Amino acid sequence: MAVLTGCQPDASPEAKKAFEGVIPKPVSATLAKGRFEITAKTQVLVPAGSPVVKAVADQFTALINPATGFNLAAAESAADDAANVITFSTDTALGAEAYVLTISSDSVKLSGGGPAGLFYGVQTLRQLLPDKIELTSQQPGPWELAAGTIRDQPTYAWRGSMLDVARHFFGVEVVKRYIDLLALYKFNTLHLHLSDDQGWRIEIKSWPNLALHGGSTQVGGGAGGYYTQEQYKDLVAYAQQRFITIVPEIDMPSHTNAILASYGELNGGITKVPKEGRIELPDGKESGKGRPTQLYTSTEVGFSTLQSSMPATTKFAEEMLAELAALTPGPYIHIGGDEAAVTPHEDYIKLTNQFIEIVRKLGKTSIGWEETAQADIKGEHRVQYWTRAEFAKMGKDKGAKLIMSPSKRVYLDMQYDSNTRIGLNWAAYIEVDDAYNWDPATLEAGITQADIVGVEAPLWSETVENLQDIEYLVFPRITAIAEVAWTPAAARNLDNYKSRLAQQEGRLKYLNVNYYPSPQVPWAK
Ligand code: TNX
């Protein structure tokens, strides 16, 4: 083959394909001639005196050292004109989550608006490298990158997923694995649904029975579980290192049977636990006002409620939310608020107003499911749309920003089709194209991009029992949602996305992700 200009060989077809294959699709990616090869002699350079930049560069070397067999370590240096270098730097002209990646035959330059932007640049670099970079044993190279420039930043500031750890409990290791997978696709928010009728999942020292009794079972009658405060803090820190904010949810005033089963003084008597799935009280008698309810292990919704008539309700909400806020460095507390079918409307408004005010006084921003738009909310509350556009509009009209979780598009517990072995289908069957082919800014009349903070994909876990189940429902659809949240709508294209998704196959396999091999995707085999 004739080399026409210079002496640089061009990149391999695989490296060029990887350059054009990133998910979520970057805002702009321009290939150039040439290639950069990471070798044992490559220097990874960071500016002097910037521990946050060094920390991200260290994450990069930790990521690539096992499979390459190299022993690269980030070093402080001002010299960025040397050959065979990868430099990390920050550029305050960029947004905090933006990055610019410039790859030439001599160097790789990664510049981030802040550490988060650098971290996203590292996730892009990771996808540009051969899939086997994901393996933890040494693999043969070359570790080649195609030359070119990628300029990138997210469309939406909120790119989230929710894990329901209440219907089935998932331990710390499972949640960490989920965080790792979210990070690869540039998500920045993990909402944990920490309480529901079937279980309470976080240790609260002032109300210990919540976890000890309320956390003692789950859907199907299994043992359940809960996070100790130390475990929760560990999860928060693990997520933080990956630029993911944990948003804890305590669902109230309905979805509260695990609370009422733990503390009779909170039970105002409206809650009637359905017979199927009910664990009878030790004395075999009925529950009732002032007595604990029975634990519940089936999947009905909307039968339970807190009541403002019980004097302990306020004390409970204040003390419990104060502990949760103290454990949570992130700015948000989610107060639930969905499906309060047996809560009298007046009481729903009164209690929701009260919970929002408690969260505000704790210095946090409250979030509620769309029904909370009916309360006396103001701009500082966030409304999470899931099914009724009129509530989303009501929230917007009251000045609240919206988190978009349209159940027909992003509910990860929905089946792909009628043959999916787990999952529900009350909202829709959601195949890869359904998850991809929508635009948050035009989905509902009267709701525009300016009203929206972003997108969040919930995984409810009535039918989800373990990591294998989680991954089967989440992958590959979550990559579609990553792109909806990150990439400008005008730059998205379904067929192009599907071919890039097919390219992720090797990476998902090396990461041992139990993805659903959707027939819509042109996988290699
Ligand atoms: C509705 S979406 C619920 C959850 C269920 C889910 C099952 C929402 C705010 N509430 O309680 O788990 O459907 O898909």
Side-chain angles (χ1 to χ4, degrees):
M1 188 181 79
V3 177
L4 297 177
T5 50
C7 55
Q8 287 305 327
D10 205 3
S12 67
E14 292 75 29
K16 288 184 186 175
K17 205 175 170 212
F19 192 90
E20 317 235 276
V22 176
I23 295 180
K25 188 179 169 67
V27 172
S28 93
T30 313
L31 260 178
K33 197 165 157 55
R35 65 194 283 277
F36 182 91
E37 188 180 332
I38 303 179
T39 68
K41 296 224 166 77
T42 300
Q43 296 184 70
V44 177
L45 302 180
V46 297
S50 183
V52 288
V53 174
K54 170 95 167 28
V56 180
D58 288 342
Q59 286 175 298
F60 173 68
T61 56
L63 181 75
I64 68 167
N65 280 341
T68 59
F70 304 152
N71 194 18
L72 305 186
E76 292 189 351
S77 170
D80 65 350
D81 54 355
N84 199 6
V85 294
I86 301 177
T87 63
F88 284 72
S89 63
T90 49
D91 176 355
T92 49
L94 300 171
E97 293 193 302
Y99 67 93
V100 178
L101 179 63
T102 313
I103 302 167
S104 69
S105 53
D106 282 342
S107 67
V108 173
K109 293 184 179 164
L110 177 58
S111 182
L118 277 174
F119 183 80
Y120 300 135
V122 167
Q123 301 314 311
T124 294
L125 264 176
R126 180 176 172 187
Q127 292 192 29
L128 298 184
L129 285 164
D131 299 337
K132 54 190 191 308
I133 199 70
E134 304 296 347
L135 294 174
T136 48
S137 61
Q138 189 174 340
Q139 304 296 314
W143 303 100
E144 184 196 13
L145 299 163
T149 302
I150 293 178
R151 295 175 187 282
D152 205 9
Q153 62 180 59
T155 298
Y156 291 102
W158 188 290
R159 304 178 305 280
S161 182
M162 186 208 83
L163 203 51
D164 173 5
V165 297
R167 268 56 174 270
H168 281 99
F169 180 66
F170 306 113
V172 168
E173 291 313 310
V174 171
V175 180
K176 285 184 174 175
R177 159 86 169 178
Y178 198 61
I179 289 168
D180 283 337
L181 293 172
L182 290 176
L184 172 57
Y185 297 103
K186 303 185 175 83
F187 283 88
N188 65 2
T189 304
L190 175 62
H191 166 180
L192 291 176
H193 184 74
L194 289 170
S195 70
D196 214 301
D197 291 317
Q198 300 86 348
W200 179 279
R201 306 302 181 202
I202 174 88
E203 175 190 19
I204 298 293
K205 294 191 171 155
S206 54
W207 294 74
N209 251 2
L210 293 169
L212 293 174
H213 184 67
S216 66
T217 191
Q218 62 181 2
V219 169
Y226 63 89
Y227 308 118
T228 65
Q229 296 199 350
E230 288 310 309
Q231 288 174 323
Y232 177 80
K233 284 192 228 167
D234 178 44
L235 276 180
V236 167
Y238 190 88
Q240 238 170 3
Q241 284 157 7
R242 288 151 185 82
F243 298 89
I244 289 176
T245 301
I246 299 271
V247 176
E249 176 188 353
I250 301 301
D251 202 350
M252 303 180 285
S254 192
H255 292 272
T256 44
N257 189 62
I259 303 170
L260 303 177
S262 305
Y263 288 98
E265 67 257 48
L266 297 172
N267 181 12
I270 292 180
T271 302
K272 299 277 177 281
V273 182
K275 209 163 177 66
E276 193 201 320
R278 187 162 88 188
I279 299 177
E280 297 302 339
L281 294 170
D283 62 10
K285 291 197 188 132
E286 287 297 298
S287 174
K289 183 171 174 174
R291 297 196 64 211
T293 59
Q294 301 91 346
L295 289 168
Y296 180 63
T297 65
S298 191
T299 61
E300 294 287 306
V301 294
F303 63 83
S304 58
T305 191
L306 295 172
Q307 292 174 239
S308 65
S309 57
M310 300 305 278
T313 301
T314 301
K315 184 170 151 56
F316 159 73
E318 284 175 349
E319 293 178 355
M320 178 274 296
L321 289 171
E323 271 191 53
L324 189 63
L327 291 171
T328 304
Y332 305 104
I333 300 277
H334 199 304
I335 57 161
D338 57 320
E339 299 173 320
V342 299
T343 316
H345 182 73
E346 241 177 57
D347 217 29
Y348 178 85
I349 302 298
K350 190 171 171 184
L351 288 166
T352 303
N353 285 345
Q354 192 186 12
F355 302 148
I356 290 174
E357 179 60 11
I358 293 170
V359 171
R360 192 189 63 77
K361 283 202 181 132
L362 290 166
K364 301 291 185 185
T365 297
S366 58
I367 303 173
W369 295 106
E370 65 194 18
E371 293 95 326
T372 61
Q374 300 168 95
D376 303 322
I377 60 166
K378 297 181 209 67
E380 78 268 15
H381 182 69
R382 305 265 187 280
V383 169
Q384 186 164 11
Y385 164 70
W386 61 283
T387 186
R388 289 176 65 175
E390 65 268 30
F391 285 146
K393 269 177 243 147
M394 189 186 288
K396 169 207 160 141
D397 290 342
K398 292 181 180 179
K401 293 278 187 233
L402 308 176
I403 297 163
M404 300 296 279
S405 300
S407 46
K408 288 177 167 41
R409 300 292 185 170
V410 306
Y411 265 35
L412 299 170
D413 63 319
M414 292 299 121
Q415 295 173 299
Y416 295 95
D417 62 29
S418 59
N419 295 318
T420 311
R421 70 172 172 87
I422 48 173
L424 305 177
N425 56 35
W426 63 263
Y429 294 119
I430 303 180
E431 249 292 359
V432 166
D433 58 354
D434 305 300
Y436 188 83
N437 241 346
W438 65 286
D439 178 359
T442 58
L443 184 70
E444 298 293 354
I447 292 172
T448 65
Q449 192 169 327
D451 307 318
I452 298 169
V453 291
V455 179
E456 186 179 295
L459 180 66
W460 300 100
S461 65
E462 286 94 332
T463 66
V464 180
E465 297 183 21
N466 51 43
L467 181 64
Q468 292 292 100
D469 292 351
I470 291 175
E471 292 181 356
Y472 193 72
L473 289 175
V474 169
F475 282 88
R477 290 182 286 196
I478 193 95
T479 68
I481 293 148
E483 191 151 313
V484 169
W486 181 281
T487 308
R492 295 200 282 115
N493 172 281
L494 178 63
D495 286 334
N496 174 269
Y497 159 72
K498 285 200 254 182
S499 76
R500 281 179 288 115
L501 176 53
Q503 273 178 256
Q504 300 275 324
E505 183 175 14
R507 192 170 305 271
L508 293 175
K509 285 194 168 149
Y510 288 143
L511 286 168
N512 265 314
V513 175
N514 180 40
Y515 64 93
Y516 160 67
S518 164
Q520 295 190 338
V521 179
W523 310 108
K525 293 174 268 311

